[in-house]
Amino acid sequence: MSEAAAQALAAPRGRGAFITLEGGEGAGKSTQVKHILERLRQAGIDAVGTREPGGSPGAEVLRKALLSGVIEPLGPAAEAILFAAARVDHIDKTIEPALSAGIWVVSDRFADSTRAYQGALGRLDPRFLRALERVTLNELYPDLTLVLDLPVEEGLARAARRRTPAETLDRFENETLEFHQGLRAAFLEIAAAESARCVLIDAARSEADVAQSIWDAITYRLMDRPAAAERAHGA
């Protein structure tokens, strides 16, 4: 760990940092969340992991409906609104209390997934999504977003290998190859457009190599820079 990071950890606790992971199916987001939490805790940083849709009792109820596909016939706008409703509960009950207590939060998906899934691919008016974000997020945005990228065919193959015989494809896993290719393009566009917040990670490499690249990005973006360290730890 760098000297700047060590100094940041010794500073009085302030607001926690908010890290999100984004990407297509099978990119390894949930696996990497576990690695991040382990490394943060080893560094002496209190951290919690969460996910979307879900992450709080109310949001988990909506997760079942959204991933089952029962909302799909209502169209992408209805899906986006329900994702936003789940996100409000997630923020209010899980994310914001942790951040306010000085705990770092690592989330498997957040608002960028709505932009990609319902926005770019559902062809929703960007003005609608921006308005929905303003109401939903109340100016809460990730300090760092890690966009895990790999070829669509490989991601879908990975997702298939991890699926147990009793599991069925969810609403989005069951989409066409063209859908998933468009999804990858949407995430790449988000990463390029918001490079101050996003770091693109080559997820086609080994689990260990991906984990190291992610930790390097967290260290550089949130620990080594004095301004970032002060913001994250209230120095």
Side-chain angles (χ1 to χ4, degrees):
M1 182 183 300
S2 70
E3 182 178 353
Q7 290 174 348
L9 294 176
R13 175 179 288 185
R15 186 172 174 81
F18 183 25
I19 301 170
T20 59
L21 284 78
E22 299 284 2
E25 306 299 331
K29 297 179 296 301
S30 59
T31 297
Q32 294 301 330
V33 166
K34 294 175 184 176
H35 287 305
I36 294 169
L37 293 173
E38 182 179 0
R39 295 289 290 267
L40 287 174
R41 290 163 183 162
Q42 288 174 351
I45 299 174
D46 288 340
V48 296
T50 188
R51 67 176 183 178
E52 288 208 352
S56 63
E60 288 292 334
V61 172
L62 290 175
R63 175 187 177 88
K64 293 179 182 178
L66 286 161
L67 297 187
S68 71
V70 298
I71 309 301
E72 182 183 2
L74 300 179
E79 280 190 325
I81 290 169
L82 279 182
F83 271 110
R87 189 163 295 129
V88 167
D89 193 69
H90 188 203
I91 291 170
D92 289 348
K93 303 293 175 56
T94 302
I95 298 174
E96 187 55 43
L99 295 176
S100 296
I103 299 168
W104 288 37
V105 176
V106 184
S107 183
D108 178 350
R109 298 197 184 281
F110 194 60
D112 290 312
S113 281
T114 298
R115 293 184 186 181
Y117 280 82
Q118 284 76 46
L121 297 180
R123 295 179 175 82
L124 289 179
D125 188 330
R127 294 172 297 180
F128 171 81
L129 287 176
R130 285 195 295 269
L132 198 58
E133 278 194 8
R134 283 195 299 271
V135 173
T136 304
L137 303 186
N138 193 24
E139 299 186 354
L140 173 67
Y141 291 93
D143 298 295
L144 174 64
T145 295
L146 302 154
V147 179
L148 277 58
D149 176 65
L150 78 168
V152 169
E153 293 84 355
E154 182 175 348
L156 294 176
R158 287 184 182 182
R161 285 195 297 269
R162 77 185 181 207
R163 194 178 302 117
T164 66
E167 288 181 313
T168 58
L169 295 173
D170 69 29
R171 152 79 176 90
F172 299 105
E173 290 173 333
N174 204 32
E175 283 286 354
T176 65
L177 182 62
E178 182 181 10
F179 175 97
H180 291 286
Q181 289 171 336
L183 184 65
R184 182 189 186 191
F187 278 122
L188 290 173
E189 185 176 343
I190 290 170
E194 300 193 33
S195 58
R197 172 175 66 87
C198 300
V199 174
L200 188 64
I201 302 291
D202 179 4
R205 297 168 299 156
S206 72
E207 182 179 320
D209 286 345
V210 172
Q212 187 58 52
S213 292
I214 286 174
W215 184 245
D216 290 344
I218 291 171
T219 300
Y220 177 68
R221 292 289 187 106
L222 299 180
M223 294 179 180
D224 281 350
R225 293 182 179 183
E230 289 173 10
R231 179 211 50 71
H233 293 276

